[in-house]
Amino acid sequence: MDLSFAHLLYGLFTLVIIATMIFRWGIVLPSLLGTFLIAWVYNGSLIEGFTAIFNANLVAAQELFNIFLIITFMLALLHSLRDLGADRKMIQPIQKLMINGHVSYFVLVGVTYVISLFFWPTPAVPLICALLVPAAVRAGLPVMTAAVAIAIAGQGMALSSDYIVQVAPSLSATAAGIDTTLVADRSFVLSLIAGGSAILIAYFLYRKSIRPKDDEVNEIEMQNVQATTEATNKAKTTNLTMWSKLFAVLVPLTLLGVVIYMVYEKLFSGRMGGLEGGDGAAFVGGVAVILLLLSTVAFGRQHALDYISNHITEGFVFAFKAMGPVIPIAGFFFLGSADFSADILSLDENPPALLFDLVESIQTYLPESAILAAFSILIIGIITGLDGSGFSGLPLTGALAASLQTGSVDTATLAAIGQLGSIWTGGGTLVAWSSLIAIAGFCGVSVMDLVRKNFIPVMAGLLLATLFAVFLL
């Protein structure tokens, strides 16, 4: 296919952004500049270039706002529980299980994987971060390592197979022209290999940072996890202890009930479009708001009218302060997708797919060797995942898998490899403008630092899974 100068510019700025990330510099500036220049060149209008900067950020904000919103509501709920003193009481039973930071790491991995496998990581993250991360941090697990465990188990291992919901295998298989079950089975096995390897590698890389349970740093990190300052609201109830104990039981039981209901809907109602992904996050967020209302009224009575506004404002401020820089970065990569480029470039029809066009242009140069074909598909999957979705590149990797199959590696295996590369990257564990920002937001860590911590374990896991697929599947 013929590539325009805009395609070449997009490829150049993508390389610049990746290189900038490697050198640990900020990437907002090249993202904004790239959006401006590419839109200017593509439309041939300087005015359209200025307009595209605004549109790209607006589109990105619209796509990511659900994540900002659930961060806001869950943090507001945690602030309200902090006023009651219920936050500490709530995690005391879990602390008995999390006897130290090492055990806590694997508890987080197991719980995150199981929940995320049923209804995707998006609604799982606020549940886990609200209930388990504080207990893990108090047990001595560094909050960054906790975030790594959740990201690898949920955004990576569970979502990349999507074995229960099967949206991802369906997209890959449809494009490859094969049965969905074939891709689902292959991707499930490979996701366990990639995820298990990444989890163990991350543990051995960061185990020395795990602290004793009585280390003073644990309490300092707890303040970052919940993004709290000292409570300034004054209790207006004479039964603070009673309400504190009540909500310490009510909130975990309610959230557990949410999990049970969502699993029930998945297993017994026969609805494949139940409460997964965004719908699940909306359900969790709505329940959090009702709990917020009840706990604030219990604490402040008539003053709850003011207290709840303060809690929600604090939640929004934290969400945007921590995650705001992600919006212009996402805007640049959304520009490379045909799903968003029309709105960004103010086009009525035939929107460009700059990123995917670049990948398709090198298809004819891809090797026919089984191992080289497998790694080519993996790299292409990783590149397509840079848009922060993880799913948008699956039709491309599926189609390439069908054209690159050899006697040594079949279409289903290649499609599964591409699926892993795309979802582990954009699903995501390796790009900051994906739903990874929710994990970083709840844990109170830098999303860019989290990406760097994930990089070596995730890439090693994907490498091992690909080698396994070529030689043993």
Side-chain angles (χ1 to χ4, degrees):
M1 63 175 300
D2 295 329
L3 297 179
S4 66
F5 185 52
H7 285 87
L8 300 180
L9 269 181
Y10 191 88
L12 174 63
F13 272 96
T14 299
L15 294 176
V16 168
I17 289 172
I18 293 172
T20 305
M21 289 178 63
I22 293 174
F23 286 102
R24 300 188 178 185
W25 296 330
I27 60 175
V28 172
L29 191 153
S31 298
L32 290 170
L33 180 61
T35 301
F36 168 69
L37 291 177
I38 292 164
W40 179 9
V41 169
Y42 185 86
N43 286 323
S45 168
L46 178 63
I47 303 302
E48 294 291 343
F50 290 124
T51 303
I53 295 179
F54 180 86
N55 289 341
N57 283 270
L58 179 61
V59 168
Q62 290 171 336
E63 290 298 313
L64 298 176
F65 188 71
N66 64 323
I67 296 174
F68 283 65
L69 200 58
I70 196 168
I71 291 174
T72 297
F73 289 150
M74 292 302 293
L75 285 175
L77 173 60
L78 290 175
H79 289 173
S80 179
L81 295 176
R82 175 201 62 190
D83 286 346
L84 285 169
D87 56 342
R88 288 179 175 270
K89 291 184 175 66
M90 187 171 63
I91 63 174
Q92 284 175 352
I94 307 174
Q95 286 178 322
K96 296 177 181 178
L97 178 63
M98 294 182 165
I99 57 177
N100 58 49
H102 301 275
V103 173
S104 300
Y105 176 83
F106 291 102
V107 169
L108 281 178
V109 167
V111 174
T112 301
Y113 178 73
V114 171
I115 296 177
S116 300
L117 198 60
F118 277 95
F119 42 84
W120 291 358
T122 309
V125 166
L127 293 170
I128 294 164
C129 290
L131 297 182
L132 296 187
V133 170
V137 172
R138 282 203 170 97
L141 185 68
V143 65
M144 179 60 79
T145 307
V148 169
I150 294 171
I152 291 176
Q155 316 279 87
M157 187 163 63
L159 189 61
S160 64
S161 71
D162 195 14
Y163 195 70
I164 302 298
V165 184
Q166 293 200 353
V167 172
S170 177
L171 289 171
S172 298
T174 301
I178 57 178
D179 186 67
T180 298
T181 305
L182 295 175
V183 179
D185 291 343
R186 298 285 201 286
S187 61
F188 181 68
V189 172
L190 294 180
S191 70
L192 291 177
I193 295 170
S197 303
I199 287 164
L200 291 176
I201 291 170
Y203 173 73
F204 285 109
L205 281 176
Y206 308 132
R207 72 187 188 283
K208 292 184 179 179
S209 65
I210 297 176
R211 300 179 294 267
K213 193 171 185 178
D214 57 355
D215 196 305
E216 295 179 355
V217 179
N218 297 341
E219 286 300 318
I220 296 174
E221 284 210 340
M222 273 297 301
Q223 297 175 5
N224 294 330
V225 171
Q226 299 185 8
T228 61
T229 56
E230 290 298 320
T232 57
N233 297 329
K234 295 182 180 180
K236 302 300 179 180
T237 177
T238 56
N239 299 309
L240 184 61
T241 302
M242 181 198 71
W243 288 117
S244 177
K245 291 179 179 179
L246 175 62
F247 278 92
V249 175
L250 177 63
V251 171
L253 287 181
T254 302
L255 295 180
L256 178 61
V258 168
V259 173
I260 293 173
Y261 177 75
M262 295 172 77
V263 172
Y264 174 82
E265 287 293 306
K266 173 56 58 185
L267 295 179
F268 301 108
S269 71
R271 294 192 309 162
M272 287 307 292
L275 290 169
E276 304 89 14
D279 288 339
F283 181 37
V284 173
V287 170
V289 170
I290 298 302
L291 290 172
L292 169 64
L293 296 176
L294 295 174
S295 60
T296 307
V297 169
F299 177 80
R301 294 190 176 180
Q302 72 273 19
H303 293 275
L305 296 170
D306 295 322
Y307 290 172
I308 194 168
S309 298
N310 295 337
H311 290 321
I312 290 180
T313 299
E314 290 171 357
F316 270 119
V317 169
F318 174 79
F320 277 91
K321 184 177 180 180
M323 305 302 150
V326 172
I327 292 177
I329 301 169
F332 173 82
F333 284 97
F334 286 168
L335 177 60
S337 170
D339 293 334
F340 305 106
S341 60
D343 292 332
I344 295 173
L345 297 172
S346 302
L347 301 175
D348 295 328
E349 56 184 12
N350 298 324
L354 300 174
L355 179 61
F356 298 117
D357 287 347
L358 286 170
V359 175
E360 287 181 347
S361 68
I362 64 172
Q363 179 177 352
T364 56
Y365 302 101
L366 296 179
E368 295 184 3
S369 163
I371 188 168
L372 293 179
F375 278 100
S376 296
I377 286 286
L378 176 66
I379 293 171
I380 289 172
I382 291 172
I383 293 173
T384 59
L386 291 176
D387 69 346
S389 165
F391 284 78
S392 58
L394 297 184
L396 174 58
T397 56
L400 289 176
S403 64
L404 293 176
Q405 65 170 329
T406 67
S408 302
V409 58
D410 60 16
T411 300
T413 301
L414 288 176
I417 292 172
Q419 180 175 306
L420 259 66
S422 182
I423 294 179
W424 274 87
T425 302
T429 61
L430 297 180
V431 294
W433 45 93
S434 66
S435 55
L436 187 67
I437 63 175
I439 297 176
F442 281 115
C443 292
V445 299
S446 164
V447 67
M448 297 305 297
D449 288 341
L450 179 55
V451 168
R452 296 184 187 105
K453 289 286 187 179
N454 287 338
F455 184 80
I456 292 177
V458 169
M459 292 304 297
L462 290 174
L463 173 65
L464 291 173
T466 304
L467 290 174
F468 178 88
V470 172
F471 293 110
L472 296 177
L473 275 187

